[in-house]
């Protein structure tokens, strides 16, 4: 099971549900007869001693708010803590705001790269209810500053179960009791650990990079990606959509690129190609890196394009 991302409005009860889930999983793991039981981790702002003030933009100049350094440092610390323990045999509960969809996508990719599933647990509560809770916490010096809290509510990006990184999506609302919580936790266990568990494959674009013995690595990388871009431009229809087949180069079954609903232009394709080359050019000059044939480069670039087209809709 490995990565459970908890999200919700500030002071909506996320930490309470995280503790409930931690207790449930502790009991479930203890009762398991597996010879290699899961290890359980709970990561949050509190466990990493991250102050709520790092999310406060009221003291940050307007032109610098999109690059709030304190919040970025906090996310880097959280990301590092998750990455250190994430594996197919470790269950990681990430308790926090997790309010940015790009951040949830980054965590989704990290879980995918280590071949372990992930899910979202959204904690639902009305804005008015959350505001009352925050005001009560402020009296005990435990809440968010009023301006900070309002800003976080405004910036919250609801998870969308139609996207890969926000699914599967489970929900608990403020009024749900322990019976309902256990029901949802049972569903999560079944989907992520039980027989319903899906096989997770890493992103092909982040595969291990090697050198091609038949030529210069960078030359092969540039040539193969350019050929695929050219193939797409030649074969796509005037209205967009459809599929384009690409020869593997080793006589195997053709690779298939699923195009988006709108026509893809050369500038967009070149942007994807340059990003892919930047990700994979690190194989240049490395010693003892094995073999990366043109076929594997083609497979990797086709996978990267399919992911990019699906993400951009």
């Amino acid at each position: 099971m490995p990565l459970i991302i908890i999200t919700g409005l500030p002071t909506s009860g996320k930490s309470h549900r995280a503790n409930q889930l931690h207790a449930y999983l502790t009991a479930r793991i203890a009762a398991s007869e597996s010879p290699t039981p899961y290890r359980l981790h709970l990561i949050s702002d509190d466990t990493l001693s991250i102050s709520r003030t790092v999310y406060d933009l009221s003291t940050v100049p307007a032109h610098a708010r999109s690059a709030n350094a304190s919040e970025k440092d906090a996310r880097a610390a959280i990301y590092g803590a998750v990455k250190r323990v994430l594996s197919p045999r470790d269950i990681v509960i990430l308790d926090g705001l997790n309010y940015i969809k790009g951040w949830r996508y980054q965590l989704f990719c990290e879980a995918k790269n280590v071949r372990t599933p992930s899910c979202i647990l959204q904690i639902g509560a009305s804005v008015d209810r959350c505001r009352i809770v925050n005001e009560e916490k402020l009296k005990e010096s435990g809440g968010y500053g009023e301006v900070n809290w309002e800003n976080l509510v405004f910036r919250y990006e609801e998870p969308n179960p139609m996207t890969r990184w926000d699914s599967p999506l489970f929900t608990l609302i403020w009024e749900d009791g322990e019976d309902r919580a256990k029901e949802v936790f049972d569903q999560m266990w079944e989907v992520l650990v039980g027989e319903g568990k899906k096989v997770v494959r890493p992103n092909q674009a982040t595969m291990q990079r090697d050198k091609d013995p038949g030529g210069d690595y960078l030359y092969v990388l540039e040539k193969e990606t350019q050929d695929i871009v050219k193939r797409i431009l030649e074969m796509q229809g005037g209205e967009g959509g459809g599929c384009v087949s690409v020869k593997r180069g080793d006589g195997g079954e053709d690779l298939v690129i699923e195009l988006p609903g709108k026509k893809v232009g050369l500038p967009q394709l070149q942007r994807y190609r340059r990003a892919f080359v930047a990700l994979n050019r690190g194989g240049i000059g490395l010693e003892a890196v094995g073999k990366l044939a043109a076929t594997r480069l083609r497979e990797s670039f086709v996978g990267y394009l399919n992911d990019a087209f699906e993400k951009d809709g």
Side-chain angles (χ1 to χ4, degrees):
M1 181 176 290
L3 179 59
I4 302 171
I5 304 168
I6 298 179
T7 183
L9 294 174
T11 59
S12 59
K14 297 183 297 298
S15 294
H16 171 66
R17 297 300 187 184
N19 289 328
Q20 279 187 321
L21 178 58
H22 187 274
Y24 169 88
L25 292 174
T26 299
R28 220 31 220 263
I29 293 170
S32 173
E33 298 180 355
S34 172
T36 55
Y38 288 99
R39 297 177 294 264
L40 183 60
H41 311 269
L42 175 59
I43 297 174
S44 67
D45 287 356
D46 288 340
T47 64
L48 298 176
S49 299
I50 296 174
S51 171
R52 287 183 171 89
T53 59
V54 302
Y55 304 105
D56 191 356
L57 299 181
S58 61
T59 59
V60 180
H63 69 276
R65 289 180 178 177
S66 62
N68 183 13
S70 62
E71 185 174 348
K72 287 187 175 182
D73 289 345
R75 282 204 297 270
I78 294 169
Y79 183 73
V82 170
K83 190 172 182 178
R84 279 192 294 272
V85 296
L86 190 61
S87 81
R89 300 307 305 176
D90 289 88
I91 301 174
V92 180
I93 303 171
L94 180 56
D95 171 27
L97 291 168
N98 299 316
Y99 67 95
I100 302 172
K101 62 184 178 182
W103 167 242
R104 296 194 295 266
Y105 176 72
Q106 183 180 0
L107 293 167
F108 161 81
C109 290
E110 184 59 37
K112 189 175 182 182
N113 286 343
V114 296
R115 300 175 182 267
T116 192
S118 63
C119 75
I120 303 292
L121 175 59
Q122 184 180 19
I123 310 303
S126 69
V127 172
D128 289 339
R129 165 71 73 175
C130 295
R131 182 181 287 109
I132 292 172
V133 173
N134 188 60
E135 290 172 353
E136 293 174 350
K137 285 180 174 290
L138 280 175
K139 296 176 183 177
E140 305 169 359
S141 301
Y144 296 87
E146 184 177 347
V147 175
N148 188 14
W149 186 90
E150 294 287 352
N151 197 316
L152 287 170
V153 170
F154 177 77
R155 292 156 61 194
Y156 183 67
E157 297 176 346
E158 292 272 353
N160 178 3
M162 300 302 292
T163 60
R164 293 168 298 152
W165 53 92
D166 281 340
S167 64
L169 174 63
F170 302 91
T171 302
L172 283 171
I173 62 174
W174 182 274
E175 293 79 10
D176 285 337
E178 291 188 4
D179 290 342
R180 173 57 183 165
K182 183 180 182 302
E183 181 182 342
V184 171
F185 296 160
D186 285 341
Q187 294 172 1
M188 293 169 64
W189 179 274
E190 178 60 28
V191 169
L192 299 176
V193 177
E195 295 180 358
K197 176 181 177 181
K198 293 183 178 180
V199 176
V200 179
R201 296 181 175 84
N203 290 327
Q204 294 189 34
T206 55
M207 62 192 288
Q208 183 178 357
R209 296 159 296 186
D210 306 325
K211 275 189 176 180
D212 179 78
D216 176 75
Y217 174 82
L218 183 57
Y219 170 78
V220 175
L221 179 61
E222 292 280 352
K223 179 179 183 300
E224 295 299 331
T225 53
Q226 287 281 22
D227 286 350
I228 290 175
V229 166
K230 182 179 178 182
R231 174 75 174 172
I232 293 173
L233 292 173
E234 291 175 348
M235 301 303 297
Q236 71 173 330
E239 300 297 326
C243 298
V244 173
S245 62
V246 176
K247 296 293 184 182
R248 292 174 60 95
D250 60 358
E253 185 177 349
D254 286 357
L255 303 169
V256 177
I257 301 171
E258 298 179 8
L259 298 176
K262 58 184 178 181
K263 188 172 181 179
V264 185
L266 177 60
Q268 182 180 2
L269 289 171
Q270 289 288 35
R271 186 168 65 251
Y272 290 146
R273 192 189 72 81
R274 287 193 296 269
F276 178 82
V277 169
L279 283 171
N280 289 273
R281 66 187 303 142
I284 303 170
L286 298 179
E287 303 296 336
V289 289
K291 175 183 177 183
L292 175 57
T295 298
R296 289 184 58 196
L297 274 173
R298 289 190 175 204
E299 292 174 350
S300 181
F301 188 43
V302 167
Y304 180 87
L305 289 174
N306 282 330
D307 281 348
F309 291 149
E310 181 179 351
K311 178 182 174 183
D312 290 348

